[in-house]
Amino acid sequence: MELEAGGRTVRLSSPDKIFFPERGFTKLDLARYYVTVGPGILRALRNRPTTLERYPDGVNGENFFQKRAPKNMPDWIPTAHITFPSGRSADEMCPTEEAAVLWAAQYGTLTFHPWPVRRDDVDRPDELRIDLDPQPGTDFDDAVRAAFELRNVLQEFGGLRGFPKTSGGRGLHVFVPIEPRWTFTQVRRAAIAVGRELERRMPDQVTIKWWKEERGERIFVDYNQTARDRTIASAYSVRPRPHAPVSAPLSWDEVGVAHPQDFDIATMPARFAELGDVHADMDDHRFSLEALLELARRDEHDHGLGDLPYPPEYPKMPGEPKRVQPSRAKKQPPAAP
């Protein structure tokens, strides 16, 4: 069958294929959902290199992340050339029309993972993304408490405004639109400064410890989500869980009131029809990271708090501490004199 999105028609094959058996949602339900929220998800993806998380046979089937633009992608969907930490590179799709989202859904894309850059400058992020990740023993309500203090931190260091959304799971994401002046390394440094300040204010509730064995029952500020090639599910993306939840943009008045299970492909269309995209004005703002980078400089100069470990697949970075979990480091014999 054929569906229309943003004035363009896209063919949908096997529309009756079950994608979410627990709820009975089909491929057609998924596609219609993305048509309904088209303006919102396009705002989140527009001109961004985007990785596709694909489940061609539904949520219970095999899945994979597609970084390289598919060979059969229509010529009306542009691409951007991006470089990975390994030194390899690829052309990734950059949606500029609502129909691009629908086209990806036709091939089983549930979740869209956009880079925090635009295709006209793929080396300088225009979003600072803070991922509040509940650890075992904590839950969404704990992430909410951290988010409100995070809001204060952002306001105090540069008058930054964060835009919160559910992750589609147990966590919360807060995105800050920034001027595209800084490198990935500098933006990550700003995220570390945010996490450390939040940890100082809520030491029993928040941690920035990279190693899981050190985190305890606290909310982890995942600073490495700002590293190059690390992405976060976009607003309105469907998440690969049995009840078909979606990552829902929230106003700050809704944080602490709304719950992640309130938002799925059956309920979000009505909300979108009533409220539209509650983050519609996000691209109207551009904030500076100078105050956060100054905080990072003071942390290092006054307290000896430098860089933190990168993910294991990254090459060793300048100034990075040893990438060895503490329990293993203790077992290693001392270096010979």
Side-chain angles (χ1 to χ4, degrees), residues 131-135 138-152 164-167 169-174 198 202 205-206 218-220 250-260 262-263:
D131 180 8
L132 300 175
D133 184 11
Q135 300 302 291
T138 64
D139 56 21
F140 181 75
D141 291 336
D142 296 301
V144 165
R145 286 186 280 273
F148 280 123
E149 190 58 43
L150 169 62
R151 186 187 189 188
N152 294 333
K165 70 181 184 70
T166 67
S167 67
R170 301 190 309 137
L172 266 172
H173 302 151
V174 179
L198 197 57
M202 305 178 70
Q205 293 84 39
V206 173
R218 293 180 287 182
I219 298 298
F220 172 50
L250 302 174
S251 68
W252 278 105
D253 289 341
E254 294 177 302
V255 176
V257 178
H259 192 274
D262 297 338
F263 310 106

Side-chain angles (χ1 to χ4, degrees), residues 297-314:
R297 188 198 68 77
R298 293 204 308 268
D299 277 345
E300 184 167 14
H301 182 269
D302 298 343
H303 306 292
L305 300 174
D307 203 356
L308 292 173
Y310 274 78
E313 70 272 18
Y314 280 63

Side-chain angles (χ1 to χ4, degrees), residues 315-327:
K316 182 70 174 178
M317 300 296 287
E320 181 188 1
K322 287 184 177 181
R323 204 179 295 175
V324 180
Q325 64 192 68
S327 60

Side-chain angles (χ1 to χ4, degrees), residues 219-234:
I219 298 298
F220 172 50
V221 181
D222 191 352
Y223 62 90
N224 269 330
Q225 291 290 48
T226 55
R228 178 185 287 271
D229 192 33
R230 282 297 181 99
T231 56
I232 294 178
S234 77

Side-chain angles (χ1 to χ4, degrees), residues 36-211:
T36 302
V37 300
I41 192 167
L42 181 61
R43 188 269 310 159
L45 301 178
R46 190 189 304 274
N47 283 318
R48 297 190 183 281
T50 300
T51 297
L52 308 179
E53 187 176 356
R54 292 177 55 187
Y55 288 75
D57 294 315
V59 71
N60 292 339
E62 293 186 4
N63 70 290
F64 58 95
F65 288 84
Q66 180 147 13
K67 296 186 176 184
R68 298 180 184 276
K71 292 181 180 179
N72 63 339
M73 194 173 72
D75 58 10
W76 49 267
I77 301 178
T79 62
H81 193 73
I82 48 92
T83 302
F84 305 115
S86 64
R88 295 193 299 270
S89 62
D91 293 322
E92 285 204 356
M93 73 175 292
C94 295
T96 57
E97 303 180 35
E98 295 172 30
V101 177
L102 181 57
W103 177 85
Q106 145 66 15
Y107 290 95
T109 300
L110 297 188
T111 309
F112 294 82
H113 296 267
W115 282 49
V117 300
R118 309 281 181 166
R119 63 190 175 110
D120 59 349
D121 189 351
V122 296
D123 293 316
R124 297 188 182 275
D126 67 350
E127 286 180 350
L128 169 65
R129 299 173 174 180
I130 309 297
D131 180 8
L132 300 175
D133 184 11
Q135 300 302 291
T138 64
D139 56 21
F140 181 75
D141 291 336
D142 296 301
V144 165
R145 286 186 280 273
F148 280 123
E149 190 58 43
L150 169 62
R151 186 187 189 188
N152 294 333
V153 171
L154 294 174
Q155 176 61 39
E156 292 172 29
F157 289 91
L160 311 183
R161 175 184 171 188
F163 290 75
K165 70 181 184 70
T166 67
S167 67
R170 301 190 309 137
L172 266 172
H173 302 151
V174 179
F175 286 10
V176 181
I178 60 174
E179 300 166 5
R181 294 168 46 195
W182 296 276
T183 64
F184 277 94
T185 302
Q186 290 171 312
V187 174
R188 179 178 173 275
R189 183 174 171 84
I192 290 174
V194 168
R196 282 179 168 148
E197 181 64 21
L198 197 57
E199 185 180 56
R200 280 191 284 266
R201 298 183 183 200
M202 305 178 70
D204 295 327
Q205 293 84 39
V206 173
T207 181
I208 199 170
K209 299 292 187 183
W210 175 247
W211 304 108

